[in-house]
Amino acid sequence: MKLSMPLMYAGNPREAADQVAALEKAGLDTVWVAEAYGFDSPTLMGYLAAKTETIEIASGILNVYSRTPGAILQTVAGLDNVSGGRAVLGLGASGPQVIEGFHGMPYDRPLGRTREVIRLVRSGLRREPLSASGIFSLPLPADQGLGLGKPLKILTHPERASVPIYVAALGEKNVAMTAEVADGWLPFLFLPEKADEVWGAALARGAAKRDPSLAPLEISTGGMVCIGDDVEGMLDFARPMYALYVGGMGAKGKNFYFDLACSYGYEEEATKIQELYLAGHKKDAEAAVPLAWLQAGNLVGSEGYVKDRIEAFRAAGVTNLQVIPATEDPAATIARLKEWVA
C-alpha cells in the first residue's frame, strides 16, 4: 500500500509545499494538490516538482469543465516533464456551484465529458492528433468558426506515453465509469466497512467492461491520523469538513455528499446537518456529524486501533492510503505509518 496526503494549506500554499520535501524523505509516496476555486493546482505541482525528487505529484482534482481536453493534455504533459515522470492526473466533475458559479460553464453531461477527456488525454500523450465528435468537436467543424481547424498532435514529446489518471467519483454511474476506464479512483469521506455495500455493484459493472490492457483499478482515500492513547478528541477537528460537505457543498437535492451519508445509513443525521448548515448554524451542524462515521473514516486512536483501521482500508481495496497528520511532527508520523502500510 502506498502512502499519500493532500497538500493542506491555509492561504499560503508555498509554505505548505516546502514541507513536502521533508515528508518525501520520511517515505511519503504521493502528494495530492487540490484547487477547487482557490489557487490553481498545476502551478503548485510545478513548484513541488522543483522541490522534490521521488514523490508522485498528483492533481486532486482538475475539473473537466474549465479546461479544454487539449489544455489538460498540455498541463499533464508539462508537469510530467518537469517532474521527471512523476505526474498523476486526478480528474473530476466538481459540482454545479463551482462549475456554474465560478467558471460560468453549464454543468451538463459530467460522465460523458469525463470519459471523453480521459480518452483524448491518453490519445494525446501518445502523440496522436486530437479527434472527437461527441461532447467535444475536434477539430471544430468547417461550418463553425473560420473553418480552418485541422487535427493536431501535441507539438512536444511527452515524458511518458501514459500518465496515471484517477477520477473522483461518488455516484453509482460515475463509479462504474471510473472502474471501466480510469487507472485509479478517488472516493471521498470513505467508510471502509460500507464500501462494498455502497459501491461494490458499480465497481463490478465497470470492471466487467474494463480493457484488459489496463492494470487493476487503484483506489486512493483515507482520513486524518493521530496516534495515541487519549486522542479521540482530535476527531472534532474533522467535524467542520464533514459538515461542510454534507451540509453545504450543494443545494438540497443536488449534494453528492449528502447522498453519500444517506447511503451509509446516516439519513436522519445528514438531514439534520444539512438543515442546520444551510440555516447558518454551522457549529450545530458539526456537532451532528455521527461520531461512529468519524471513527471509522479516520485513523485516530491507539497504535493498535490505527493499525486495525489501516487493515480495514486495505480490505476495502485501498491501494494508496491518504492521510492528514494531526500531529506536531508530520514527518515522524509519516515515517511510522510507512512501516505499517508496507
Side-chain angles (χ1 to χ4, degrees):
M1 183 186 281
K2 287 184 176 180
L3 196 61
S4 67
M5 65 175 284
L7 182 66
M8 304 298 291
Y9 58 86
N12 194 338
R14 189 172 61 252
E15 286 184 5
D18 288 344
Q19 298 171 7
V20 174
L23 297 171
E24 177 184 57
K25 291 178 181 178
L28 193 68
D29 297 295
T30 313
V31 62
W32 297 91
V33 186
E35 65 176 21
Y37 47 102
F39 291 127
D40 75 298
S41 175
T43 296
L44 299 182
M45 292 173 71
Y47 182 78
L48 282 169
K51 290 281 185 176
T52 58
E53 296 178 357
T54 61
I55 197 168
E56 292 179 324
I57 303 171
S59 60
I61 60 167
L62 299 185
N63 77 73
V64 294
Y65 288 90
S66 61
R67 297 175 177 90
T68 65
I72 294 174
L73 165 64
Q74 289 177 297
T75 296
V76 71
L79 288 168
D80 206 42
N81 176 269
V82 297
S83 66
R86 293 183 284 133
V88 176
L89 177 60
L91 295 173
S94 186
Q97 288 186 318
V98 172
I99 300 306
E100 297 187 358
F102 192 74
H103 295 293
M105 298 283 292
Y107 191 79
D108 61 354
R109 296 179 288 177
L111 270 67
R113 183 178 290 266
T114 304
R115 182 188 289 270
E116 203 159 315
V117 166
I118 291 172
R119 182 186 68 78
L120 286 166
V121 169
R122 283 183 173 148
S123 174
L125 286 170
R126 296 192 296 265
R127 298 200 75 231
E128 297 169 354
L130 296 187
S131 176
S133 57
I135 291 175
F136 300 98
S137 295
L138 289 171
L140 203 62
D143 61 347
Q144 298 180 33
L146 298 177
L148 299 176
K150 62 179 182 179
L152 295 174
K153 62 184 179 182
I154 190 169
L155 183 65
T156 46
H157 288 262
E159 185 79 8
R160 293 181 290 174
S162 178
V163 169
I165 299 177
Y166 282 63
V167 175
L170 291 177
E172 185 176 331
K173 292 181 179 179
N174 202 1
V175 170
M177 184 272 295
T178 300
E180 179 187 348
V181 303
D183 298 293
W185 175 38
L186 294 166
F188 188 53
L189 301 181
F190 192 76
L191 207 169
E193 285 79 2
K194 291 283 187 177
D196 186 62
E197 177 184 335
V198 174
W199 291 300
L203 289 169
R205 280 200 309 277
K209 300 177 182 178
R210 191 172 178 84
D211 189 328
S213 67
L214 291 174
L217 185 73
E218 302 283 336
I219 302 176
S220 181
T221 189
M224 184 172 71
V225 59
C226 186
I227 308 163
D229 294 326
D230 188 23
V231 296
E232 190 171 273
M234 295 298 292
L235 288 168
D236 288 339
F237 288 100
R239 289 184 179 276
M241 181 182 70
Y242 280 66
L244 166 63
Y245 279 86
V246 174
M249 198 61 75
K252 284 189 176 182
K254 291 290 184 181
N255 184 325
F256 308 127
Y257 310 100
F258 174 91
D259 295 340
L260 176 63
C262 293
S263 71
Y264 284 159
Y266 297 125
E267 185 171 357
E268 182 179 341
E269 295 91 337
T271 300
K272 184 177 181 181
I273 293 167
Q274 188 177 65
E275 289 177 350
L276 288 167
Y277 201 95
L278 295 179
H281 305 299
K282 296 183 180 180
K283 290 297 181 182
D284 293 331
E286 294 167 13
V289 176
L291 178 60
W293 189 5
L294 295 170
Q295 290 171 327
N298 293 281
L299 302 95
V300 174
S302 66
E303 177 177 317
Y305 182 80
V306 172
K307 286 182 176 179
D308 286 345
R309 285 290 85 206
I310 290 173
E311 293 312 310
F313 278 95
R314 195 194 306 270
V318 174
T319 57
N320 187 318
L321 184 67
Q322 286 194 42
V323 295
I324 303 172
T327 58
E328 293 183 358
D329 189 347
T333 301
I334 291 297
R336 195 174 181 185
L337 288 173
K338 185 65 176 178
E339 296 180 2
W340 299 347
V341 304

